[in-house]
Amino acid sequence: MILVTGAAGFIGSHVVHALLEQGHTVVGIDNMNDYYDVRLKEARLARLFASERFQFQKVDVTDAEALADIFERHGIRSVIHLAAQAGVRYSLVNPRAYVDSNIVGFLNILECCRNSRSEHLVFASSSSVYGASTHMPFSVRDNVDHPVSLYAATKKANELMAHTYAHLYGLPCTGLRFFTVYGPWGRPDMALFSFTRDILAGTEIALFNYGDMRRDFTYIDDIVEGVLRVWRKPPSPCSAAPDTAPDPSRSVAPYRIYNIGNHDPVSIHRLIELLEHCLGRKASTKLVPMQPGDVPATYADVEDLAVDFDFRPRTPLDVGVRRFVDWYRTYYDC
């Protein structure tokens, strides 16, 4: 049995949908919090309830007892952990939410996986862990000791915690650093969603860092494909000792880290141009300073993903934006 946490979330609901289409039986959990519109989360779940092989429980990963009960009752054998308090900017005003969900919640997942002798824990990290790094493209072999937001720090902590459990208990763990995921059923706090909403409403869009921003936008279908390829192949320990071949992405423990990104950073101005074309309306913008905790650019090196799984995200931004806009107009009837 597969457990997917954050099953009502953007990435989680897509991953569950793909697993169900492939014939798997899935248990999904989510706390259904109101960080953004709960009705969107409910609509994502409604798509999944069409399958008899999907079971859902409203559970918070911070509830260790409820989580342990799910593992025991359903015989969970592998976990795709996507539940987290997301958002860099929100971490500036509500830091405790990140420690509760991303640190305490992740510890509970690790403990359940250890006690149930799980076959593989795949967990979501983030491109945010690269923080103040200016070395491009971001490589899993880079040092990531300079986070610039608490959200990023919690994701780096997750990677360290997972490695510890992989080393101490032989728990196979794979962390995936996602790069600016977008697409249908996306999160309202993400740029593509909010820009679309603002353009249609005639609301002015704030372009941070005076518009000098570049992101490695990665389409949701590519993220899902990467997650499932990695999930099917638990990591094995590397033969080289860390002191003879230091590499943050691998270990003598059954632990690996991968980037999943489009390997093609695009300016925020290009994103707006594509939206204007798809929506048939011009955007109103204003240039503002950089937000605390943000970074000017992201750019994924995905060579390890390509070598180990024969996969590189490839969906062009213009294709993905068009699909998102089509979904948005249908979902909101606008």
Side-chain angles (χ1 to χ4, degrees):
M1 184 78 76
I2 308 159
L3 174 67
V4 178
T5 71
F10 173 32
I11 300 174
S13 62
H14 278 276
V15 167
V16 172
H17 190 266
L19 286 168
L20 294 173
E21 285 197 326
Q22 293 177 11
H24 298 287
T25 301
V26 181
V27 175
I29 64 171
D30 202 293
N31 66 4
M32 304 297 287
N33 68 33
D34 61 358
Y35 171 63
Y36 60 82
D37 189 357
V38 175
R39 292 171 298 178
L40 178 59
K41 298 178 181 183
E42 292 170 343
R44 292 175 183 143
L45 284 177
R47 295 199 312 150
L48 307 178
F49 287 139
S51 172
E52 295 180 351
R53 286 177 281 99
F54 176 63
Q55 301 177 57
F56 176 77
Q57 288 189 239
K58 183 180 178 181
V59 170
D60 195 307
V61 291
T62 61
D63 188 337
E65 186 176 339
L67 203 57
D69 180 65
I70 287 172
F71 271 76
E72 183 177 354
R73 283 192 296 108
H74 294 285
I76 301 299
R77 301 308 307 150
S78 62
V79 179
I80 300 176
H81 178 55
L82 302 170
Q85 179 57 61
V88 168
R89 292 163 191 162
Y90 187 57
S91 69
L92 303 178
V93 298
N94 193 359
R96 292 187 185 277
Y98 291 77
V99 174
D100 290 343
S101 182
N102 300 6
I103 302 296
V104 176
F106 191 61
L107 175 62
N108 291 340
I109 289 289
L110 287 169
E111 277 291 283
C112 286
C113 287
R114 173 176 76 90
N115 292 330
S116 65
R117 299 183 180 180
S118 294
E119 298 167 358
H120 193 189
L121 167 61
V122 177
F123 65 95
S125 187
S126 167
S127 62
S128 296
V129 301
Y130 291 102
S133 175
T134 57
H135 177 262
M136 297 284 178
F138 294 152
S139 169
V140 290
R141 292 175 174 77
D142 292 343
N143 179 289
V144 289
D145 287 339
H146 298 89
V148 295
S149 70
L150 183 63
Y151 169 69
T154 63
K155 288 300 186 179
K156 171 64 184 292
N158 288 171
E159 295 179 2
L160 298 175
M161 293 163 72
H163 182 269
T164 302
Y165 272 67
H167 172 74
L168 289 175
Y169 308 114
L171 172 64
C173 295
T174 306
L176 302 176
R177 294 173 179 170
F178 299 144
F179 281 68
T180 314
V181 189
Y182 75 100
W185 300 97
R187 276 180 19 218
D189 61 321
M190 298 292 283
L192 180 61
F193 201 116
S194 64
F195 287 1
T196 300
R197 180 179 61 234
D198 290 345
I199 291 172
L200 289 172
T203 304
E204 195 171 48
I205 298 171
L207 301 183
F208 294 106
N209 200 32
Y210 303 104
D212 187 15
M213 302 284 278
R214 297 173 66 82
R215 288 290 181 268
D216 202 344
F217 294 101
T218 312
Y219 189 63
I220 183 61
D221 289 0
D222 289 330
I223 291 290
V224 171
E225 178 69 18
V227 168
L228 295 190
R229 288 194 185 213
V230 168
W231 166 71
R232 295 187 196 104
K233 184 181 176 183
S236 300
C238 294
S239 57
D243 59 345
T244 60
D247 183 344
S249 71
R250 62 190 70 210
S251 172
V252 292
Y255 170 88
R256 291 299 302 271
I257 290 289
Y258 295 95
N259 289 333
I260 303 186
N262 214 44
H263 192 64
D264 182 25
V266 176
S267 75
I268 208 72
H269 295 288
R270 176 57 179 158
L271 175 64
I272 290 174
E273 288 175 1
L274 290 171
L275 278 174
E276 289 175 330
H277 176 72
C278 291
L279 294 169
R281 301 190 188 185
K282 296 294 289 183
S284 173
T285 63
K286 62 178 178 180
L287 304 180
V288 298
M290 178 75 86
Q291 281 266 104
D294 214 342
V295 296
T298 62
Y299 182 6
D301 179 340
V302 294
E303 191 60 31
D304 281 36
L305 189 70
V307 169
D308 291 353
F309 299 98
D310 191 28
F311 176 67
R312 296 174 185 268
R314 295 189 182 278
T315 304
L317 187 61
D318 59 340
V319 173
V321 167
R322 168 55 68 186
R323 291 174 184 169
F324 170 80
V325 169
D326 289 345
W327 167 82
Y328 188 97
R329 285 191 176 279
T330 299
Y331 182 76
Y332 289 103
D333 191 23
C334 61

